[in-house]
Amino acid sequence: MIQPNKKELEDQIGYHFQNKKYLNLALTHSSYSNENKAHKKENNERLEYLGDAVLELCVSEYLYHTYPEKDEGELTKIRSSLVCERTLSLCARDIYLGKFLLLSKGEHLTGGRDRDSILSDAFEALIGAIFLDGGMEQARTFIQTYLLQDVEDKTLFYDAKTILQEMVQAETKQKLSYHLVKEDGPDHCKEFTVETWIGDEPVATGVGKTKKAAEQMAAYKTILLRKNK
């Protein structure tokens, strides 16, 4: 397997590591280190743990200052939507993180580079690596640039099914429903396609690795369509 050009990732995110070891670890999935009989700590799991803590602090600080009118419960809900697996995996895709990961042959062949769990973990590990290499300010800048943009849209996605249900109930007497259109792929790597229907009309289509994720995406797309009418 060809090793990824890590400098390309550094150029992409606008941060160049002084200690390349941190970057290498952030991009190394446990399946790769296991396959290559490396030391059990030579992967991104510890960096993910650190990055998770840095991420939570930076997001909490940002929300505290940005939304002075919101109480603790509302802030916690917004934070949860920003640091959830789905949101972080979308941010990881924005910087093409998947193509730089070191995975086992098995993970690579079964779609690991585009798996939400692997991408979100690697995104947190990258935050941890930047924190160790450049300090809190560099980590905060990265988080603000690649996560804390379009906060309202990200929180909208997180609550999409609830928000859409409330919109439909307020605007029409027709029933909102979700229809499974198809399932593709083997059991360990399925992809679901779901349509939202309002009354007897299909509105939008969502795709996801689980039926719930596909419904969430379909709901989100439906909300955007109705908002832009």
Side-chain angles (χ1 to χ4, degrees):
M1 192 182 300
I2 299 173
Q3 294 286 318
N5 179 1
K6 294 163 188 170
K7 184 179 182 302
E8 185 183 338
L9 175 61
E10 291 179 298
D11 292 341
Q12 170 74 29
I13 65 176
Y15 180 80
H16 292 81
F17 283 80
Q18 301 172 64
N19 188 339
K20 304 298 182 185
K21 179 183 177 181
Y22 294 134
L23 176 60
N24 293 338
L25 278 176
L27 298 175
T28 303
H29 188 253
S30 58
S31 66
Y32 182 88
S33 59
N34 290 337
E35 185 175 79
N36 289 276
K37 296 181 172 58
H39 191 279
K40 65 180 181 179
K41 292 181 181 178
E42 291 182 7
N43 57 58
N44 64 11
E45 290 179 349
R46 283 166 51 85
L47 279 176
E48 175 206 338
Y49 159 81
L50 179 61
D52 176 69
V54 174
L55 176 63
E56 185 157 320
L57 175 60
C58 288
V59 171
S60 298
E61 180 188 33
Y62 171 84
L63 296 177
Y64 179 86
H65 291 298
T66 304
Y67 300 104
E69 76 286 358
K70 294 189 183 298
D71 63 24
E72 178 193 4
E74 292 174 300
L75 292 174
T76 299
K77 187 176 179 181
I78 297 172
R79 185 180 64 195
S80 295
S81 71
L82 292 172
V83 302
C84 72
E85 180 181 284
R86 178 61 181 171
T87 301
L88 296 182
S89 67
L90 290 172
C91 294
R93 290 184 180 91
D94 286 343
I95 59 173
Y96 307 102
L97 189 55
K99 79 175 188 176
F100 299 101
L101 298 179
L102 294 174
L103 304 174
S104 68
K105 290 178 182 177
E107 281 291 356
H108 171 69
L109 292 173
T110 56
R113 293 187 188 282
D114 196 45
R115 189 167 297 136
D116 285 355
S117 59
I118 290 177
L119 288 173
S120 62
D121 289 350
F123 191 80
E124 288 184 324
L126 185 57
I127 291 170
I130 293 171
F131 170 75
L132 288 178
D133 189 70
M136 180 60 87
E137 284 308 310
Q138 292 291 348
R140 183 181 286 111
T141 297
F142 175 81
I143 292 166
Q144 288 175 342
T145 303
Y146 295 105
L147 174 64
L148 297 175
Q149 303 292 330
D150 305 318
V151 168
E152 290 185 7
D153 278 352
K154 289 185 173 79
T155 56
L156 179 66
F157 176 84
Y158 184 75
D159 282 332
K161 290 182 71 175
T162 301
I163 292 169
L164 180 59
Q165 184 68 48
E166 291 172 353
M167 288 175 67
V168 171
Q169 287 177 343
E171 296 170 8
T172 177
K173 293 182 180 179
Q174 294 180 305
K175 180 183 176 183
L176 168 66
S177 58
Y178 295 88
H179 295 230
L180 180 63
V181 177
K182 63 178 179 178
E183 294 180 30
D184 290 320
D187 288 342
H188 65 272
C189 192
K190 277 195 177 298
E191 185 174 83
F192 296 83
T193 302
V194 169
E195 285 181 341
T196 48
W197 285 58
I198 297 177
D200 297 325
E201 295 291 329
V203 182
T205 301
V207 177
K209 296 299 183 182
T210 65
K211 186 179 176 183
K212 182 178 178 181
E215 289 176 352
Q216 197 84 348
M217 180 58 74
Y220 177 64
K221 289 183 176 180
T222 304
I223 292 169
L224 295 182
L225 287 171
R226 294 177 78 83
K227 284 177 67 178
N228 293 329
K229 276 187 176 181

